[in-house]
Amino acid sequence: MAKRIGILGGISYESTIKYYELILRTYYEQNMDYYYPEIVIFSLDFQKFTNFENENKRMYIKYILEGINSLEKAGAEFVLMAANSPHAVFEELEILSNIPLLSIVKVSAEKAKQEGMKKLLLLGIKFTMQSSFYQNACKKLGIEVKVPTEDEQNDINRIIFDELVIGVFKNESKNRLLEIISNYEVDGVILGCTELPLILKQKDADVKLLNTLKIHAEAALNYSLSS
């Protein structure tokens, strides 16, 4: 029996929907049957989550943990947080959680290592770009992580919060993101916000894009199906 997957979502709903779709579509493509793994989704209050993220670490951890515990009560056997930024407190949550948590940062860093990447550019919300959790995880694997300038970070953050999280995708925003990427000589780019793969596709870029949403969703499926 597949392990029941718990998705902590709503952060934002656009990417949560994509997780659900991608896990089930990938299962069908691999197995050509309908014995899909069971999935439970608990959707957080996005504004409440974001306020705690920026203002109150203790309440941030507490609120995320409430969601994880709700998923456990619903029978989830492991949990993935359908966003990059809450992985800033992943280690604290992992200690407090009664069930395993699957890290988007760990699986994405391992993917970069498999691809032979040595230098990466991290894109995401400002909270993620100004944190160190991606740098720390990648450094253990011999990978350097750069972040954009302050002005570039402001543009990326605005595009994510004002557009992508509500399903607005503008060509000028895509072009601005690609312009920022072109300013750096790197082996690859971490799309370190699960909304970024909704606007940036590999065909758009001259450098390898690490689609953290896809990497995470496929890792969740593999973990669910593992004995």
Side-chain angles (χ1 to χ4, degrees), residues 4 40 69-76:
R4 184 177 292 175
V40 181
N69 290 341
S70 294
L71 288 166
E72 180 193 3
K73 290 174 184 175

Side-chain angles (χ1 to χ4, degrees), residues 94-152:
E94 193 172 35
I95 291 169
L96 295 168
S97 174
N98 296 319
I99 54 178
L101 307 181
L102 184 65
S103 168
I104 196 172
V105 178
K106 181 180 179 182
V107 297
S108 296
E110 289 172 349
K111 179 68 171 179
K113 180 71 172 180
Q114 291 169 11
E115 297 281 342
M117 297 176 178
K118 297 291 185 182
K119 188 178 294 185
L120 300 172
L121 177 68
L122 172 63
L123 304 187
I125 63 171
K126 284 187 75 172
F127 178 86
T128 296
M129 292 185 286
Q130 294 181 358
S131 298
S132 58
F133 54 91
Y134 260 109
Q135 287 87 337
N136 294 340
C138 288
K139 186 177 181 180
K140 293 176 183 177
L141 299 177
I143 300 170
E144 178 187 355
V145 175
K146 294 175 171 286
V147 295
T149 66
E150 185 80 17
D151 285 345
E152 291 169 339

